[in-house]
Structure formats: structure tokens, C-alpha cells
Amino acid sequence: MAPDHVTRRAVLQGGGAAMALPGVAGAETGAMLSPESNRGRDMSTVEFTVNGDRVQLQLDPRTTLLDALREHLQLTGTKKGCDHGQCGACTVLVEGQRINSCLTLAVMHEGDSVTTIEGLGTPKNLHPMQRAFVTHDGYQCGYCTPGQICSAVAVLGEIEAGIPSHATEDLEHVVLSDAELRERMSGNICRCAAYPNIIAAIREVAAGDEA
Amino acid sequence: MKPFTYSRAASVEDAVAAASSGGRFIAGGTNLLDLMKLQIETPSHLIDVNHLELDRIERTPEGGLRIGAMVRNTALAAHPDVRRDYAVLSRALLAGASGQLRNKATTAGNLLQRTRCPYFYDTRMPCNKRKPGSGCGALKGGSRSLAIVGTSDACIAQHPSDMAVAMRVLDAAVDTVAADGTRRSIPIADFHLLPGDTPHIENQLKPGELITSVTLPNPLGGTHVYRKVRDRSSYAFALVSVAAVFDGQGGSRFAFGGIAPKPWRVAAADAAAAAGAGAVAQAALADARPTAQNAFKQQLVASTLTSLFRQKEARP
Ligand SMILES: Cc1cc2nc3c(=O)[nH]c(=O)nc-3n(C[C@H](O)[C@H](O)[C@H](O)COP(=O)(O)OP(=O)(O)OC[C@H]3O[C@@H](n4cnc5c(N)ncnc54)[C@H](O)[C@@H]3O)c2cc1C
Ligand code: SF4
Ligand code: FES
Ligand code: FES
């Protein structure tokens, strides 16, 4: 393994998505700006739709979509785990596709339609995937859960659309299986290891969709 | 991140003009923003190329396939023609990153993604690629994941792309346009550069040159296999990967990932197929210079080839 003087972060970066690193990367990203660092700089205006509402923001161009959602729109359901594309906690749907909101700039989303966990369902009116996560205990601490749920909703859409994955045996013929779900959900890390229950929850929603 | 200004290019002409005055293209952003957050990349102006009409996949008049630079990795892997005629490319793409990342990652961005050498990522460490002349932290340090062939005394970083390995086995060409409007087509064999004593120069692109598409020659037919070996079975970079096409007439081609500074292909390895996996591995690694920590990759290449040959027998 790597010698001691290679930092933990460096090793994780090098290895890709080892696990979420809450708090390590945030400070130096510049995404959460101190007023000084922005003084005298151009702000950019961006307009997009979030959970059906049109919003217009004046932002430092460095602001990620994740920080725009959390810090500027107070939609704190979407979580920041690693801030480097490695954990999936920040997963949202943009134009119906799941992406890591930490690795994209808000200003790049002019005119886009964004759906966050708050837009999928509400406590009084849960989305079927949210309900299934509750039923199957698809979480412990819940930190990764909004990302897991957004990802899971998109995964079923991707299978429905016949998009293959690494687990697909015949590229022309995509069938839903536990192996498919595990592979497709691998971009969402759960430190509490709720994985089996997450798969059970997604399975239930998939079965309901077929019925 | 260091402060930067941002603009959206409306046309290819627009994009290259903006780049000629010092801007940097941003596509999916999944590699560039990651590196900007760590201040490894510090562009002062970003040119968003996401709205250029470079997101199409179309047949060429000759029967090949032209893939727009902005086609997302998900869309490319799922395209019916790619699944049918260039399955090794679908397989390689699907073996990389995660579903979320593939939805953003583009053809051009994937080719140009930078190494995952841990010292390159750690700004407190010496690294000739990040800071020319500062030395190489990996040579005498943690080099387990790094390259074993094509390296130099200045740098032993591996190229991390899966997609590029399949494109190498298919003999793709990278189509570009420069600031002055000159267009050229660069064979992928020549596109990425070996480190030599300038590891910070990684490819043939001139400053401000834009990739417009990647063109695949006519389909080869036969059996396509991509095999990737990594520390986890998903969402991890390759320790070793092999892209292979067995054309059904006795011809075979192999390209390797995870072991070299560029997608690795050696003519003698293609020619050694009839003699079996061991002979292919030996030819591919004839010039290998591994470190003590990554010497295991030589055996891993051989055993990956052995299982790949078996996989081919099972599904001819
Ligand atoms: C956690 C994690 C795991 C990953 N795992 C894998 C893996 O297993 N296998 C793998 O192959 N990859 C992996 N990746 C890398 C991923 O594939 C790349 O980040 C992605 O392909 C980059 O594409 P992009 O469009 O986002 O590029 P960007 O980040 O937008 O750009 C990358 C570079 O290309 C330049 N560029 C972009 N478009 C053009 C153009 N048209 N012309 C000229 N220059 C251009 C940019 O200026 C920049 O220098 C992983 C990434 C992460 C974060
Ligand atoms: S191997 Fe290359 S990228 Fe890694 S530390 Fe050495 S010079 Fe830098
Ligand atoms: S916060 Fe970890 S992937 Fe975005
Ligand atoms: S529920 Fe705690 S990280 Fe997943």
C-alpha cells in the first residue's frame, strides 16, 4: 500500500470512489465563498427550474450546482459528502438524468430543469421510492439517502430505457436483476452499509411499476 | 477554486476564438472541476462547450462511425450501432466511473482526463507532471497503481481512461479544429504522448485546439471483449484492463489500460495471439520497467489475458 506520507485524501483521489470524506475537501474548494475572495469579481446570472419553480440566481461562477441548491436555495436535502464525485450523496436529476451536483457549475445549467429529493415527494405525499426506503429500512443515519433515492429513481428509468450496464450479459437485452441494481447503484456509497435493504426497496418499486 | 470568468460558446468558431485568447474548454466538468477544486488546474477563463452541436453519432460515408466530442459516455455506450458493431467500446465505457458520472462525461473529456497518480493529486508532494522540474514522488514512493511500461525517469503515471483503450484497439482517429480554423485528424495511436522528460505535455493538441469528434473505422466484426481488473468490482479505476477484438479470420488485436501513460498497443502482441495468452503478454510488456510495488501487474496482464481467451472461447 501507499507509504505514510501519502495523505489519505490523495490515496482516495487516486483510487476513485473509496468512501465519502465529509468535511475534508469543502474548506479549500472556494465553492463556499468568503466575501473577500469574491470582492470586485463578476457575478453571473443563471436561471433554471428547481422542483417545478423557476429560480434566478446571481452567483460567483465558481458555485457548484450543489452549493447553489444548498446555500442559495436552502434545499438542504441534497447532501455534500466528498465534493469530488466519489460518493453520490449529491446526486440530483437534471433534465431527468442523474448527475453528481458537486462536479458541475450552477452557471452551466441555464434553462435546465433540476429535481432534488424535495421535488420527488413530500413527507405527506411520499414518492414510491421514498416510501419503499422507509418500509425496507434502506438507511441508518440517512446521510446518503437523498442521493440513493434520486439515483434509484433514475436507475429504474435507465433499465426501462434499455440502457446497458457493466452487469448486462447481453448488450441488446437489459433485464432487471439484483446484480444489475448493485452495479448501477455503485456510484452511491453508504457508510452505514444499508445496501441489502436499499436493493430490497428498489426491487419493490420495480415490481410495483410492472404491476 | 481560483476565481475565473465563464462564457458559453455558441459555435465551434466562437469556442476556438475564445480559447485562442487563453480560455479553457469545459465539457462534463467531471475531471476539470475536480482538479480545479484542488487548485491543480487553475484556468482564468472557462469556455462552456456543452451547447455546441457536437452531440451526434452518425455513420461516415465509408461505413465507419463519427462520434461527436460532446456525446455523453452513457449515450455512446447505449447507442444501437455501438452495441452491435463496436461492442468493445460499449463494454469499456460501462466499466468506467458510475452511472451519474457517465451521464455527464463526454467523449473528448474522457480522452483528456488526467492521471490518477496520488502524488499528482497531492499538491504538497513533488510531481513533474503537475509542477515540471519538481521531481517525481511516485518513483520511490507509492506506485502500486501506476504504469509499468512506456514510463520515464521523470514520470510513471498511468492513463486512467477505459474508453480510450477500446478506441485504441479500434484504431479510432481524433478530429480537431484549431484557432485558425485548420482541421486535422490524429490517429489515436499518436494522440497521447509518452512522458519522456516532459510529462506535463500529455497529447498532441495545441493550445486552444478543440476536439470535434472521434471517428471509428468500419466495423471489424468478430468477438469483442473488454476485461477490467480493479480493487473493487465496480466504481474503481483499472489496475489492468484489456480490450480485445478477435475478428473470426484468425486476426486478433489487443490494447491495454492501467499499465501505461497511454492506451497501450504493440503490433507484436497482436501477432502473438496464436501462441496464446502468455505470448501476447510477453510481447506487450517486452519493454516493461515496473517498480517493486507494481511488478505484480506483469503477472496480472498475463492472467487477465488467460481469462479473456477463455471468455472468448465460451462466447465465440
Ligand atoms: C470518482 C470518479 C471515478 C471515475 N472512474 C473512472 C473509471 O473507472 N474509468 C474511466 O475511464 N474514467 C473514470 N473517471 C473519469 C471520468 O471518466 C472523466 O472525469 C470524464 O470522462 C471526463 O469527461 P468530462 O466531459 O467531464 O471532461 P471535463 O472535466 O469537462 O474536461 C476534461 C479535460 O478535457 C478538456 N476538454 C473537454 N472537452 C474538450 C474538447 N471538445 N476539446 C478539447 N478539450 C476538451 C477540458 O479542457 C479538460 O482539460 C472517474 C471520475 C471520477 C470523479
Ligand atoms: S508518476 Fe508522474 S504524475 Fe505521479 S508523481 Fe511522478 S511525475 Fe507526478
Ligand atoms: S458530494 Fe460526493 S459525489 Fe458529490
Ligand atoms: S444511511 Fe448512513 S451513509 Fe447511508
Side-chain angles (χ1 to χ4, degrees):
Chain A
M1 277 311 290
D4 290 338
H5 64 268
V6 179
T7 65
R8 203 166 104 90
R9 182 175 77 217
V11 171
L12 290 173
Q13 293 291 351
M19 62 174 73
L21 273 181
V24 175
E28 68 206 69
T29 60
M32 293 180 58
L33 294 166
S34 64
E36 287 76 20
S37 67
N38 191 38
R39 194 162 286 155
R41 293 208 63 88
D42 291 340
M43 299 290 270
S44 297
T45 306
V46 63
E47 208 175 307
F48 46 73
T49 304
V50 183
N51 302 331
D53 296 331
R54 267 198 102 64
V55 297
Q56 199 194 59
L57 294 169
Q58 287 268 103
L59 296 171
D60 182 300
R62 288 175 288 182
T63 314
T64 60
L65 179 60
L66 173 61
D67 286 326
L69 292 169
R70 287 182 55 84
E71 311 296 330
H72 296 265
L73 296 168
Q74 278 71 48
L75 289 168
T76 52
T78 308
K79 301 298 185 230
K80 182 183 285 189
C82 64
D83 212 22
H84 285 274
Q86 301 179 7
C87 74
C90 65
T91 303
V92 298
L93 307 175
V94 174
E95 298 291 307
Q97 290 202 314
R98 54 179 174 147
I99 66 164
N100 304 98
S101 62
C102 70
L103 283 189
T104 190
L105 298 171
V107 291
M108 293 169 75
H109 292 282
E110 179 69 35
D112 279 353
S113 166
V114 182
T115 305
T116 67
I117 189 71
E118 293 93 341
L120 282 181
T122 59
K124 286 215 172 77
N125 185 20
L126 294 176
H127 183 280
M129 192 65 76
Q130 292 171 318
R131 193 174 316 113
F133 267 64
V134 175
T135 308
H136 290 273
D137 266 341
Y139 50 83
Q140 276 184 40
C141 75
Y143 196 81
C144 72
T145 312
Q148 300 276 5
I149 290 176
C150 285
S151 212
V153 168
V155 160
L156 293 185
E158 287 163 16
I159 293 175
E160 177 87 24
I163 293 171
S165 85
H166 181 60
T168 307
E169 270 187 42
D170 175 358
L171 283 179
E172 309 281 349
H173 194 59
V174 179
V175 268
L176 193 143
S177 66
D178 283 5
E180 279 283 1
L181 293 179
R182 278 198 294 268
E183 162 61 25
R184 289 170 192 267
M185 291 297 293
S186 72
N188 292 84
I189 312 287
C190 176
R191 184 64 185 80
C192 304
Y195 300 113
N197 297 356
I198 291 171
I199 297 297
I202 302 173
R203 271 283 194 182
E204 183 185 286
V205 176
D209 283 354
E210 267 161 43
Chain B
M1 278 187 253
K2 295 274 194 205
F4 56 82
T5 48
Y6 167 87
S7 68
R8 211 168 288 136
S11 66
V12 165
E13 294 70 35
D14 229 34
V16 290
S20 68
S21 42
R24 188 77 180 272
F25 304 124
I26 183 163
T30 60
N31 191 232
L32 187 55
L33 290 173
D34 192 7
L35 294 168
M36 284 168 65
K37 288 181 181 194
L38 299 165
Q39 300 190 5
I40 294 164
E41 300 266 24
T42 54
S44 56
H45 181 67
L46 285 185
I47 305 154
D48 185 345
V49 291
N50 282 282
H51 302 277
L52 302 185
E53 291 191 356
L54 300 174
D55 58 353
R56 278 192 287 267
I57 301 177
E58 51 202 8
R59 301 298 317 197
T60 62
E62 299 76 34
L65 199 70
R66 186 172 302 113
I67 304 160
M70 299 307 303
V71 172
R72 308 290 157 175
N73 287 180
T74 300
L76 183 54
H79 192 275
D81 290 28
V82 179
R83 285 197 246 184
R84 186 185 62 233
D85 295 336
Y86 305 98
V88 68
L89 179 56
S90 280
R91 290 290 181 195
L93 284 158
L94 296 172
S98 66
Q100 290 96 313
L101 288 160
R102 291 192 298 271
N103 281 343
K104 280 259 102 184
T106 61
T107 309
N110 192 318
L111 275 180
L112 296 173
Q113 64 174 297
R114 307 201 68 190
T115 187
R116 293 280 158 170
C117 171
Y119 299 86
F120 175 73
Y121 266 88
D122 188 340
T123 48
R124 290 165 302 178
M125 290 291 152
C127 171
N128 287 324
K129 190 187 274 300
R130 179 171 30 76
K131 196 167 173 228
S134 63
C136 170
L139 255 179
K140 292 197 169 61
S143 56
R144 178 177 176 273
S145 61
L146 303 184
I148 57 174
V149 69
T151 56
S152 71
D153 290 339
C155 179
I156 59 168
Q158 85 285 37
H159 195 274
S161 171
D162 290 293
M163 180 195 80
V165 180
M167 287 181 170
R168 179 68 188 90
V169 91
L170 293 168
D171 279 331
V174 183
D175 311 314
T176 70
V177 58
D180 63 2
T182 319
R183 292 187 178 260
R184 57 176 180 150
S185 168
I186 309 164
I188 193 159
D190 306 329
F191 181 76
H192 296 101
L193 301 175
L194 292 179
D197 45 23
T198 52
H200 58 291
I201 304 171
E202 297 174 349
N203 57 60
Q204 292 254 9
L205 293 183
K206 299 200 191 76
E209 194 170 355
L210 178 79
I211 298 179
T212 52
S213 57
V214 170
T215 303
L216 303 180
N218 293 6
L220 295 164
T223 306
H224 291 216
V225 188
Y226 188 75
R227 223 179 150 83
K228 177 174 179 181
V229 183
R230 40 188 162 170
D231 286 332
R232 286 187 305 274
S233 58
S234 187
Y235 202 18
F237 287 93
L239 286 169
V240 165
S241 72
V242 186
V245 177
F246 300 94
D247 70 10
Q249 279 114 52
S252 310
R253 313 166 161 215
F254 306 91
F256 300 84
I259 60 164
K262 59 189 272 186
W264 195 247
R265 182 150 170 225
V266 175
D270 290 0
V280 174
Q282 204 164 26
L285 299 179
D287 301 320
R289 299 192 326 157
T291 64
Q293 283 189 14
N294 66 20
F296 75 95
K297 286 194 179 189
Q298 295 179 103
Q299 180 53 43
L300 198 54
V301 167
S303 46
T304 306
L305 280 162
T306 303
S307 32
L308 182 142
F309 272 73
R310 277 203 208 111
Q311 196 176 336
K312 177 228 158 194
E313 308 288 292
R315 256 192 275 166

